[in-house]
């Protein structure tokens, strides 16, 4: 079972920041937080991952709370092409544990 | 650079038949994983291969099998197809399978069993 809880759906206006929350209250100190998204009819696309510190790349920013029990994925300027299902996943830092997907958050970016 | 490529993109089979799906990983990636995604659900883990050896298996029946070749490409085989096997089959590749190594997915093979 997935170790994360996400809202089922969210809307965001085009050009505004999209803030997608994720709860992972049972996360352990040796587990990463990963984010993927899946646009209709495509495979999941890796976005970003982090352990303790906030992370930023060309796609998004990941903000992890100090107690690591929750995180927020931020898309700074959402476009219509960001409409997708977003998955938050917890994964051990060592070993080859597979990704465990939940149902994710369906983000709709509205013009 | 080419991403993960899967073939075919779509496939229609009849109950009881067998199917083989193919995957080519990103160049330099030696680990390949297979996932099944039924409509409305997140992907579910089937197999992981690294250096041509099975390193993990999900909760799927023995009708599902896979292998990895010396060039790190992989095949997923499903025997005695059931209607419930209709799904999107996803292949993902990564550098050595460690927690900090992201998986990169192909766009999948859509299998329909009639």
């Amino acid at each position: 079972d997935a170790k994360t809880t996400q809202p089922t759906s969210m809307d965001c206006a085009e050009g505004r920041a999209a803030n997608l929350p994720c709860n992972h209250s049972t996360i352990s100190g040796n587990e990463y937080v990963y984010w993927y998204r899946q646009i209709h009819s495509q495979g999941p696309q890796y976005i970003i991952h982090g352990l303790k510190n906030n992370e930023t790349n060309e796609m998004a920013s990941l903000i992890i709370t100090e107690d690591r029990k929750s995180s927020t994925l931020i898309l700074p300027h959402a476009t219509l092409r960001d409409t997708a299902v977003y998955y938050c996943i917890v994964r051990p830092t060592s070993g080859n544990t597979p990704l465990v997907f939940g149902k994710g958050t369906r983000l709709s970016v509205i013009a | 650079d080419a991403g993960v490529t899967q073939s075919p993109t779509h496939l229609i089979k009849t109950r009881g038949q067998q199917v083989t799906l193919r995957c080519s990983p990103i160049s330099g990636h030696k680990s390949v994983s297979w996932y099944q995604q039924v409509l409305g659900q997140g992907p579910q883990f089937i197999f992981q291969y690294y250096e041509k050896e099975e390193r993990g298996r999900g909760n799927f029946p023995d009708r599902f099998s896979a292998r990895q070749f010396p060039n790190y490409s992989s095949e997923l085989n499903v025997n005695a197809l059931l209607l419930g096997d209709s799904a999107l089959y996803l292949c993902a590749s990564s550098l050595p399978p460690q927690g900090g190594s992201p998986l990169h997915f192909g766009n999948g093979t859509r299998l329909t069993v009639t």
Side-chain angles (χ1 to χ4, degrees), chain B residues 6 21-23 33-35 45-47 74-76 90-91:
Chain B
Q6 293 187 242
L21 311 181
R22 296 176 175 82
C23 171
S33 299
W34 288 94
Y35 287 75
F45 171 70
I46 310 175
F47 284 112
S74 178
E75 286 183 352
L76 175 71
L90 296 159
C91 175

Side-chain angles (χ1 to χ4, degrees), chain A residues 32 34 36 38 41-46 49 87 91-103, chain B residues 35 37 40-43 45 48 55-56 88 90 97-108 110:
Chain A
Y32 286 107
Y34 269 82
Y36 280 79
Q38 189 170 23
S41 298
Q42 296 182 20
Q45 178 188 22
Y46 166 74
H49 73 284
Y87 296 99
R91 188 188 190 201
T93 57
S94 61
N96 57 1
T97 306
L99 297 174
V100 179
F101 289 82
K103 294 191 174 182
Chain B
Y35 287 75
Q37 186 175 25
Q41 303 293 322
F45 171 70
Q48 183 192 65
R55 299 299 183 102
L88 180 66
L90 296 159
Q98 299 170 355
S101 181
L103 272 66
H104 297 274
F105 287 82
N107 284 328
R110 172 75 62 188

Side-chain angles (χ1 to χ4, degrees), chain B residues 8 18 22 24 45 53 57 72 75 79 94 98 110:
Chain B
Q18 174 264 341
R22 296 176 175 82
S24 293
F45 171 70
E53 291 187 5
R57 183 184 183 119
Y72 304 109
E75 286 183 352
N79 293 323
S94 69
Q98 299 170 355
R110 172 75 62 188

Side-chain angles (χ1 to χ4, degrees), chain B residues 14-27:
Chain B
T14 305
R15 277 179 298 175
Q17 287 187 317
Q18 174 264 341
V19 67
T20 298
L21 311 181
R22 296 176 175 82
C23 171
S24 293
I26 292 171
S27 177

Side-chain angles (χ1 to χ4, degrees), chain A residues 72-91:
Chain A
T72 301
L73 180 74
I74 301 173
L75 309 177
H77 304 286
T79 71
L80 298 179
R81 288 176 293 182
D82 293 321
T83 292
V85 177
Y86 287 76
Y87 296 99
C88 171
I89 300 167
V90 166
R91 188 188 190 201

